[in-house]
Amino acid sequence: MALSMPKQVYPSRVKLWEPSLQKPTMSCDSGLVERNITGADPEGMWDSGAVDPPEEEGRTFMQVLSEKYSPENFPYRRGPGMGVVVVPTLPQGSPMKDRLNLPSVLVLAGCGISHAGEQREIAAFCAHVMELDLSHNKLQDWHEISKIVSNIPNLDFLNLSSNPLSEVVLEPSGAKAFARVRRLVLNNTQVSWNTVLVLTREMPELEELFLCLNEYTTVSASTVPCPTLRLLHITDNNLQDWAEVRKIGPMFPGLETLVMSNCNLSSIQDSEEMLRRLFPNLRSINLHNSALNRWEDIEKLNQFPKLEDVRLQGIPLLQTYTNTERRSLMVSHLPSVSSLNGSVVTDGEREDSERFFIRYHVDYPEEELPYRYHCLVTKYGKLEPLAEIDLRPRCHAKVEVHCENKVAEVSIRLDQTVAELKKQLRTVVQLSANQMRLYYIDKECVFGPEEMKYHTRALHSYSIQDGDELLVVPKAGRGTTTTAKPLSNLNSKTLTPPP
């Protein structure tokens, strides 16, 4: 019986029931995109004899697409447990030819692609494609990239990470092909900032832009803003000077999230009024591992009117503090921030941190007190240092041991039992444990001595304190009694233990 062509298949919907049919995978996220060391074929659809896709020069987009998504590379079998392919019901997309079966998310990373190939075929097969990963290929011509993108009309996400684009010029006419793309990843491409400006001018729907690992040291100002951008990842560059970061604000006036960790930013130098105008819509900023070294720079973050999420770890300013001090001081300096380093700041934590801040600076000279200290003193008043109370249980006590006419001062462990204490006292009173009766005398108690007759009872349960007394009475022989000599705190009464 002839096998009918299947419907469109998303990679995540393909279930391979035989382990021997599974192929290596590749992990990809919206930030830095790296190939998994186990392989470069995310859907496991290369021929079983090949470990990695071929890497020869001059492979085209359509050549790789045809090989990877050819029905021969899908393990179709019939019957339970025989390589069943689960095919969801999907709306009609681009025409399905006899030899291709494409999902709407294409991952062609590390396939050696350097050219587009036949544009009519791209348009025929990729009309329904929404996400395209072309990272780790050999694309070094924007004209070839434009050919691919212009023939995928519904493309929303494009990843070009780790393609050699440093020496390539993009003309505005070529950038028009990217007009419908909303998320663009250019990590580790060394693409020039001028090319970035050309792209943003021609992408009226751009919302997320990733420019990590591109070795930027400066940023060129743009006369044409990109108001739609909400998220900018520009980590692992070398933007040390705030004068360069300042240019990003007018360029992306609608920016809500700025991620620029590992950029060695040394200070924030603008005035309060300028900072309020630079990033009017910024809600989240990530400055991990920057070079900030002054509390004044941290306080300037308060000038961003909508800022509510701050991530600041690994900066020189905080290295000398304990973990508790770091968080408490940061929370106190950022009164409008509701999330710090990924953790929500509750109202209770904020009050505790602000009170800690006042006490932390109570002994500082007046001229060294930060501005925030005076604001918090106005709110809470001047607070005295907290009393240091040691709530740990006592471990030892020094007691007087009385036995007949002998008195000795002994240090005892309070975590031991009565039986263990008797063993300790054997060398002191020269009696074996089973020949002694032991009494505890609390000098502040008016009820007299308490016999310690439960051998397994712990000493700390008696609340023994330094200076208390222990009375050891030798046991009398059968039919006789022994009278202990009176002690001063026994009200001169003679203690006669029972036989």
Side-chain angles (χ1 to χ4, degrees):
M1 180 182 295
L3 181 64
S4 59
M5 287 300 298
K7 299 178 182 178
Q8 299 172 7
V9 181
Y10 282 101
S12 60
R13 303 291 182 89
V14 179
K15 298 182 179 179
L16 305 178
W17 298 100
E18 290 187 352
S20 61
L21 295 173
Q22 298 184 16
K23 297 293 192 292
T25 59
M26 187 204 80
S27 60
C28 170
D29 56 27
S30 60
L32 300 179
V33 181
E34 301 290 344
R35 293 182 64 186
N36 193 303
I37 61 174
T38 59
D41 184 20
E43 283 79 43
M45 297 170 187
W46 291 97
D47 290 338
S48 59
V51 176
D52 284 313
E55 294 290 343
E56 66 264 17
E57 294 291 339
R59 305 193 76 213
T60 69
F61 174 81
M62 278 309 305
Q63 179 184 357
V64 172
L65 198 67
S66 299
E67 292 175 0
K68 183 168 185 178
Y69 293 98
S70 170
E72 287 78 6
N73 289 318
F74 285 84
Y76 292 123
R77 295 189 186 180
R78 305 183 68 179
M82 298 295 291
V84 178
V85 177
V86 180
V87 183
T89 301
L90 299 174
Q92 293 297 323
S94 57
M96 302 305 296
K97 303 298 182 183
D98 291 339
R99 59 188 180 88
L100 289 185
N101 192 3
L102 297 182
S104 64
V105 178
L106 300 183
V107 181
L108 302 176
C111 296
I113 299 172
S114 61
H115 297 82
E118 180 57 52
Q119 295 187 65
R120 289 178 299 176
E121 292 187 4
I122 298 175
F125 293 119
C126 298
H128 66 294
V129 172
M130 300 181 66
E131 299 187 13
L132 177 59
D133 183 355
L134 293 175
S135 61
H136 297 276
N137 279 290
K138 298 180 180 180
L139 292 164
Q140 50 186 340
D141 187 341
W142 282 107
H143 181 62
E144 294 297 322
I145 298 172
S146 298
K147 287 180 183 179
I148 298 172
V149 175
S150 62
N151 286 286
I152 308 179
N154 292 308
L155 190 63
D156 177 88
F157 169 83
L158 175 62
N159 185 358
L160 295 173
S161 296
S162 299
N163 280 281
L165 298 172
S166 58
E167 305 297 331
V168 190
V169 177
L170 173 63
E171 298 296 335
S173 57
K176 294 182 184 298
F178 298 82
R180 293 185 179 87
V181 175
R182 295 191 306 113
R183 295 173 291 159
L184 179 61
V185 185
L186 296 172
N187 296 335
N188 195 32
T189 57
Q190 279 70 53
V191 62
S192 70
W193 192 262
N194 286 335
T195 299
V196 173
L197 296 183
V198 172
L199 284 167
T200 55
R201 291 180 189 131
E202 303 298 334
M203 299 177 71
E205 300 180 16
L206 183 64
E207 295 182 5
E208 299 179 6
L209 180 60
F210 296 79
L211 299 171
C212 310
L213 293 164
N214 284 333
E215 301 179 3
Y216 296 131
T217 57
T218 61
V219 170
S220 302
S222 174
T223 57
V224 180
C226 178
T228 58
L229 194 73
R230 299 290 179 262
L231 170 67
L232 176 63
H233 270 257
I234 194 167
T235 65
D236 291 284
N237 286 285
N238 198 25
L239 299 174
Q240 301 182 36
D241 193 344
W242 180 257
E244 303 302 322
V245 180
R246 179 191 298 126
K247 301 172 187 175
I248 295 175
M251 195 181 310
F252 307 118
L255 193 65
E256 296 179 357
T257 301
L258 175 61
V259 183
M260 52 178 301
S261 57
N262 305 324
C263 282
N264 298 317
L265 180 67
S266 58
S267 64
I268 300 175
Q269 298 170 338
D270 277 320
S271 65
E272 296 180 1
E273 181 61 31
M274 176 64 73
L275 290 173
R276 281 193 286 269
R277 296 200 305 266
L278 275 181
F279 295 98
N281 294 295
L282 191 66
R283 297 184 179 275
S284 176
I285 190 169
N286 186 332
L287 296 172
H288 282 339
N289 300 319
S290 62
L292 296 178
N293 200 27
R294 302 185 309 154
W295 284 112
E296 290 82 354
D297 294 321
I298 307 303
E299 290 183 342
K300 285 185 177 181
L301 297 176
N302 292 315
Q303 305 309 316
F304 301 142
K306 295 185 179 181
L307 189 66
E308 57 189 17
D309 176 32
V310 172
R311 295 172 186 261
L312 262 175
Q313 291 181 321
I315 64 175
L317 173 64
L318 302 177
Q319 289 180 355
T320 60
Y321 299 99
T322 66
N323 289 337
T324 301
E325 290 171 343
R326 288 171 190 163
R327 185 164 179 88
S328 296
L329 295 175
M330 288 287 291
V331 168
S332 301
H333 275 287
L334 299 169
S336 300
V337 169
S338 58
S339 177
L340 177 63
N341 294 329
S343 298
V344 174
V345 179
T346 64
D347 292 340
E349 181 189 12
R350 182 170 301 284
E351 180 175 347
D352 291 343
S353 297
E354 291 175 346
R355 289 179 176 274
F356 171 85
F357 187 92
I358 295 174
R359 293 187 173 100
Y360 184 86
H361 293 90
V362 70
D363 294 327
Y364 275 50
E366 183 67 27
E367 61 274 10
E368 295 183 14
L369 290 173
Y371 171 77
R372 186 63 180 155
Y373 172 84
H374 301 289
C375 297
L376 294 178
V377 166
T378 302
K379 182 177 180 180
Y380 297 105
K382 289 189 175 182
L383 305 177
E384 295 297 325
L386 294 174
E388 295 186 5
I389 301 176
D390 188 357
L391 299 178
R392 293 174 297 179
R394 292 175 57 86
C395 297
H396 296 83
K398 290 185 177 181
V399 297
E400 289 183 358
V401 178
H402 295 256
C403 181
E404 298 181 321
N405 294 324
K406 300 176 182 179
V407 179
E409 187 176 77
V410 179
S411 176
I412 61 174
R413 289 188 3 256
L414 299 179
D415 60 344
Q416 63 183 337
T417 63
V418 171
E420 292 170 330
L421 175 61
K422 285 186 175 183
K423 291 180 182 180
Q424 179 184 352
L425 296 178
R426 287 181 302 182
T427 58
V428 178
V429 300
Q430 301 299 313
L431 293 171
S432 64
N434 58 1
Q435 289 179 326
M436 66 176 76
R437 281 186 173 175
L438 190 59
Y439 297 85
Y440 167 55
I441 303 170
D442 184 351
K443 294 192 299 184
E444 297 180 359
C445 180
V446 297
F447 297 108
E450 176 184 358
E451 184 174 3
M452 305 171 75
K453 56 185 177 181
Y454 300 107
H455 288 182
T456 59
R457 182 174 174 181
L459 297 187
H460 63 73
S461 64
Y462 290 94
S463 300
I464 299 175
Q465 303 293 324
D466 290 339
D468 288 345
E469 298 176 358
L470 297 177
L471 175 63
V472 179
V473 178
K475 288 185 179 180
R478 184 181 298 272
T480 63
T481 61
T482 299
T483 302
K485 293 187 176 182
L487 297 173
S488 58
N489 60 343
L490 292 180
N491 297 324
S492 298
K493 293 181 180 180
T494 300
L495 176 63
T496 306

